[in-house]
Amino acid sequence: MLAIVRRGAAGGAVAQRLLAACPDAELLAPASPDAFGALLRRLSTAGTTLVALGPLEDVAQAVQPGPDTAPVVVVAENGRAVVPLCGARAGGDELARQIGAALGITAAITSGTPPAPVPGRLAVVGLGPGKAGLMAPEVRAELDRAQDILGYIPYVRMAGPFRPDQTVHVSDNREELDRARHAFALAAAGRHVVVVSSGDPGIFAMAAALFEALERGDDPAWGQVDLVVLPGISAAQAAAARAGAPLGHDFCVISLSDNLKSWATIERRLAAAAGADLVLALYNPISRARPWQLDRAFEVLRQIRDAATPVVLGRDIGRPGESLTTTRLGEVRSDMVDMRTVVIVGSSTTRVLPRRDGKTWVYTPRWHEA
Amino acid sequence: MLAIVRRGAAGGAVAQRLLAACPDAELLAPASPDAFGALLRRLSTAGTTLVALGPLEDVAQAVQPGPDTAPVVVVAENGRAVVPLCGARAGGDELARQIGAALGITAAITSGTPPAPVPGRLAVVGLGPGKAGLMAPEVRAELDRAQDILGYIPYVRMAGPFRPDQTVHVSDNREELDRARHAFALAAAGRHVVVVSSGDPGIFAMAAALFEALERGDDPAWGQVDLVVLPGISAAQAAAARAGAPLGHDFCVISLSDNLKSWATIERRLAAAAGADLVLALYNPISRARPWQLDRAFEVLRQIRDAATPVVLGRDIGRPGESLTTTRLGEVRSDMVDMRTVVIVGSSTTRVLPRRDGKTWVYTPRWHEA
């Protein structure tokens, strides 16, 4: 039997994660610090394996560690430390490692001969634009084999549903580096971990964040993880396919987000790409925090490209409620675009053809004059 | 009963295509022009539906068309014309259309009231880099439903095997526009046609050629075809995933083929992309007809980018015998590359990390200074 004993009101979120990691455990929450110590002592004496959520010192005083004590693992209330206090060889080390993996931290194993760690697998996968029919079978298989799935909430939902034996760790979209570290910690503890990205994980998505975490990380175990990147069909490709073949010739893919690069760099790249007559696919075109940048980008492009240049706006292509708009560089405005739109701006040769449904095809021929 | 009657030795290839299109037909090859006429007359009198492979005039003299004659369809020995000579309303028109579709030409239907054509479906699909696990399920389903499959031989092989009721039309890689026209003719005749590309059909592949054929084509029936583009994972994405995440930040995709654009345009684009510090993915890097261009491209890039810039060479990634080489811009030479290699040249921020197997990861961080 395994009991999770929680001291007082703090640590509620951590307790929930422990329960998710040890679904057979019983969660006990004594009313006072004194009751916490008394309960631990009673359970430990009775041979119950314990996960104590509270200060190490308090737990050590309560259970009085001895050579034959049942395993007791202590977890900090903020979830940032896990220590096998007693019964390390009787399963305490292993339990601490499991909990560490679930919390994305390394267990403070101090016993003499830890078993050689079995490095896990960490796959960062591309779900494609958002419909099952455009997700690679290899990605589906990797998701089906995973023990832990990490990602931004809507992408995890898109990749699911998952089985009860699979643990899902959702997080906000702005926590890429934290998510990457958590993924490495889980995999280093032997878990089979999948980090999900929409589109292609290598195109403005999680793959680069994982390598960044790996490079900055100081845990050598991370380098032993079986790390793979599985590609996917990107949003630009899905939008291009729906529109015709606007990327049919030389093109570039540029993010308009100036969170991690200067706006001057972005303008310089836009001008260079427009000057070299490349088709442009623009990611992260707009957000609440970046309201004026897209109109400025269109201005930069209009100084170089003709106003008649075809522009494709693909929103949520491949997902429910998708929309595709084709317009011209002279007419496009930022209020036609939101953060879920990919903007494709044609080259000087990009052409518009009528479609049988009254809409238009947009394509860039293979030839280029001059 | 349906008989294909062939005059003499000419038209053998066309006869084989007719047999493929009409698997229940009997192929008869009389020894002389006189025997050809006599056989046609005898079969027609007996009420046999005929496909005659020979000059229209000779056939017309032999069968003596009348109002109650069984259908006779005449096909030119070079396969470039098909004419329903007799029994048009008794099935001759329909048979001529079927044969036209199989040969990729329009049947010369001259009877008064042709049935409204049922436009077919034409899908240009991306097989991905070359393994089943990276092909989108939608593409697989489209291939399974197709009646006619067209493409460059190795890609058709990669997409197969196909069923006996599916017709495969293979062609050489340099015949994109002819293949596109053939595909439209088949689809306009009501067939379900799939054109296969490796990678993404919208990235230096068949989609642009199809729209080019559609725009130039003067058959209004082509515009009625249910035309769709199904995207796929491109070679650059597969190579990038294997290497790490070199396309993790702004990048461009440029073909080094100067078949359809001037070399000056290519050099200008390379210099602009290098100057704007975009990662470059180079397609069609080299061929027997273009032996010096790749070294010249490296020279252009070396004038702008540091010699230490990481370079990834991905050959046949996702196919048997794939190879991945990471090197530096100062060291890369064209003899390390062939036409099946994608060349990825990093930006100023692209980084190299050690890998547990002694190889290296290459990735471009999400941030960019300056």
Side-chain angles (χ1 to χ4, degrees):
Chain A
M1 201 218 136
L2 172 62
I4 300 168
V5 185
R6 171 180 165 199
R7 192 186 71 152
V14 175
Q16 289 311 313
R17 290 173 74 180
L18 293 176
L19 262 185
C22 313
D24 297 331
E26 186 181 6
L27 177 62
L28 304 169
S32 70
D34 281 354
F36 175 69
L39 178 60
L40 286 174
R41 186 174 305 115
R42 203 172 66 241
L43 290 169
S44 174
T45 307
T48 307
T49 298
L50 295 176
V51 177
L53 196 55
L56 178 62
E57 202 181 334
D58 294 5
V59 181
Q61 285 173 17
V63 302
Q64 295 168 319
D68 300 325
T69 325
V72 178
V73 172
V74 187
V75 179
E77 283 164 337
N78 61 11
R80 297 213 183 119
V82 51
V83 179
L85 173 65
C86 326
R89 287 183 194 152
D93 281 354
E94 184 45 38
L95 180 60
R97 275 194 200 89
Q98 275 178 28
I99 290 171
L103 298 176
I105 56 177
T106 303
I109 307 286
T110 55
S111 51
T113 51
V118 179
R121 179 173 170 92
L122 172 51
V124 52
V125 304
L127 302 177
K131 72 200 284 195
L134 291 180
M135 186 195 299
E138 260 190 18
V139 169
R140 184 70 263 162
E142 190 80 34
L143 287 166
D144 291 344
R145 287 194 310 265
Q147 296 175 287
D148 295 272
I149 298 96
L150 287 81
Y152 177 46
I153 300 156
Y155 303 154
V156 169
R157 204 170 292 140
M158 201 186 281
F162 294 100
R163 301 182 306 270
D165 65 302
Q166 297 181 294
T167 307
V168 170
H169 311 259
V170 297
S171 46
D172 191 84
N173 208 12
R174 280 156 298 188
E175 299 168 356
E176 285 99 346
L177 216 51
D178 282 345
R179 184 187 303 139
R181 290 191 192 105
H182 186 187
F184 268 111
L186 287 163
R191 307 278 293 177
H192 182 161
V193 183
V194 172
V195 174
V196 297
S197 280
S198 74
D200 186 312
I203 299 180
F204 306 123
M206 280 303 297
L210 278 166
F211 288 106
E212 223 171 295
L214 179 62
E215 187 173 18
R216 294 193 201 177
D218 47 9
D219 188 338
W222 290 13
Q224 293 309 308
V225 164
D226 178 18
L227 177 61
V228 288
V229 181
L230 296 184
I233 292 167
S234 70
Q237 291 170 290
R242 207 63 110 210
L247 307 181
H249 202 47
D250 302 338
F251 67 94
C252 68
V253 182
I254 294 178
S255 166
L256 292 194
S257 168
D258 55 357
N259 289 344
L260 296 160
K261 61 186 166 182
S262 72
W263 180 252
T265 296
I266 298 172
E267 278 205 16
R268 191 165 59 91
R269 289 179 174 180
L270 292 173
D277 208 13
L278 299 169
V279 173
L280 293 104
L282 305 178
Y283 273 67
N284 305 315
I286 201 163
S287 77
R288 227 171 301 172
R290 296 179 289 105
W292 55 264
Q293 283 84 340
L294 179 59
D295 277 321
R296 175 68 196 138
F298 288 141
E299 256 175 56
V300 170
L301 298 178
R302 278 193 278 257
Q303 283 163 17
I304 301 167
R305 289 267 165 93
D306 197 88
T309 303
V311 173
V312 170
L313 308 175
R315 185 177 188 277
D316 274 351
I317 298 294
R319 300 188 200 171
E322 70 167 55
S323 77
L324 182 80
T325 308
T326 67
T327 177
R328 303 280 182 175
L329 184 56
E331 283 144 37
V332 68
R333 295 180 323 272
S334 66
D335 61 11
M336 302 160 75
V337 174
D338 68 7
M339 58 186 291
R340 284 151 72 181
T341 309
V342 169
V343 178
I344 300 177
V345 180
S347 74
S348 69
T349 60
T350 303
R351 304 178 62 75
V352 172
L353 290 185
R355 210 157 163 151
R356 61 174 192 159
D357 60 5
K359 297 180 183 172
T360 53
W361 292 113
V362 179
Y363 88 101
T364 305
R366 301 167 304 150
W367 40 263
H368 192 277
E369 289 142 9
Chain B
M1 200 216 136
L2 172 62
I4 300 168
V5 185
R6 170 180 166 198
R7 193 186 71 152
V14 176
Q16 289 311 313
R17 291 173 75 179
L18 292 176
L19 263 184
C22 313
D24 296 332
E26 185 182 4
L27 177 62
L28 305 169
S32 70
D34 281 355
F36 176 69
L39 179 61
L40 285 174
R41 186 175 305 116
R42 203 171 68 239
L43 290 169
S44 175
T45 306
T48 306
T49 298
L50 295 176
V51 177
L53 197 54
L56 178 62
E57 202 181 335
D58 294 5
V59 181
Q61 285 172 16
V63 301
Q64 296 168 318
D68 300 325
T69 325
V72 178
V73 172
V74 187
V75 178
E77 283 165 337
N78 61 11
R80 297 214 183 120
V82 51
V83 178
L85 173 65
C86 326
R89 288 185 193 150
D93 281 355
E94 183 46 35
L95 180 59
R97 274 195 200 89
Q98 275 177 28
I99 289 172
L103 297 176
I105 56 177
T106 303
I109 307 286
T110 55
S111 52
T113 52
V118 179
R121 178 173 170 93
L122 172 51
V124 52
V125 304
L127 302 177
K131 72 201 282 197
L134 291 180
M135 185 194 300
E138 260 189 20
V139 169
R140 183 70 264 162
E142 190 81 32
L143 287 166
D144 291 344
R145 286 194 309 265
Q147 296 175 286
D148 296 273
I149 298 96
L150 287 81
Y152 177 44
I153 300 157
Y155 302 154
V156 169
R157 203 170 293 142
M158 201 186 281
F162 294 101
R163 301 182 306 270
D165 64 303
Q166 297 181 295
T167 307
V168 169
H169 311 260
V170 297
S171 46
D172 191 83
N173 208 11
R174 280 156 299 186
E175 300 168 355
E176 285 100 346
L177 218 50
D178 282 345
R179 185 187 303 139
R181 290 191 192 105
H182 187 187
F184 269 111
L186 287 163
R191 307 277 293 177
H192 182 162
V193 183
V194 172
V195 174
V196 297
S197 280
S198 75
D200 185 312
I203 299 180
F204 305 122
M206 280 303 297
L210 278 165
F211 287 106
E212 225 171 295
L214 179 62
E215 187 172 18
R216 294 194 201 176
D218 47 11
D219 188 338
W222 291 13
Q224 293 309 307
V225 163
D226 178 18
L227 177 61
V228 288
V229 182
L230 297 184
I233 291 167
S234 70
Q237 290 171 290
R242 207 64 109 210
L247 306 181
H249 202 47
D250 301 339
F251 67 94
C252 67
V253 182
I254 294 178
S255 166
L256 292 194
S257 168
D258 54 357
N259 289 343
L260 296 160
K261 60 185 166 182
S262 72
W263 180 251
T265 297
I266 297 172
E267 279 205 15
R268 192 164 59 91
R269 289 178 175 180
L270 291 173
D277 207 14
L278 299 169
V279 173
L280 293 104
L282 305 178
Y283 273 66
N284 306 315
I286 201 163
S287 77
R288 229 171 302 171
R290 296 179 289 105
W292 55 264
Q293 282 86 339
L294 180 58
D295 276 321
R296 175 68 195 137
F298 288 142
E299 254 176 55
V300 170
L301 299 178
R302 278 194 277 259
Q303 283 164 16
I304 301 168
R305 289 269 165 91
D306 197 88
T309 304
V311 172
V312 171
L313 308 176
R315 184 177 189 278
D316 273 353
I317 298 294
R319 300 187 201 172
E322 70 167 56
S323 77
L324 182 80
T325 308
T326 67
T327 177
R328 302 280 182 175
L329 184 56
E331 283 144 37
V332 68
R333 294 180 323 272
S334 66
D335 61 11
M336 301 160 76
V337 174
D338 69 7
M339 59 186 292
R340 284 151 72 179
T341 308
V342 169
V343 178
I344 300 177
V345 180
S347 74
S348 69
T349 61
T350 302
R351 304 178 62 75
V352 172
L353 289 185
R355 210 156 162 154
R356 61 175 191 160
D357 59 6
K359 297 181 182 170
T360 53
W361 292 112
V362 178
Y363 87 101
T364 305
R366 300 168 303 151
W367 39 263
H368 192 278
E369 289 141 10

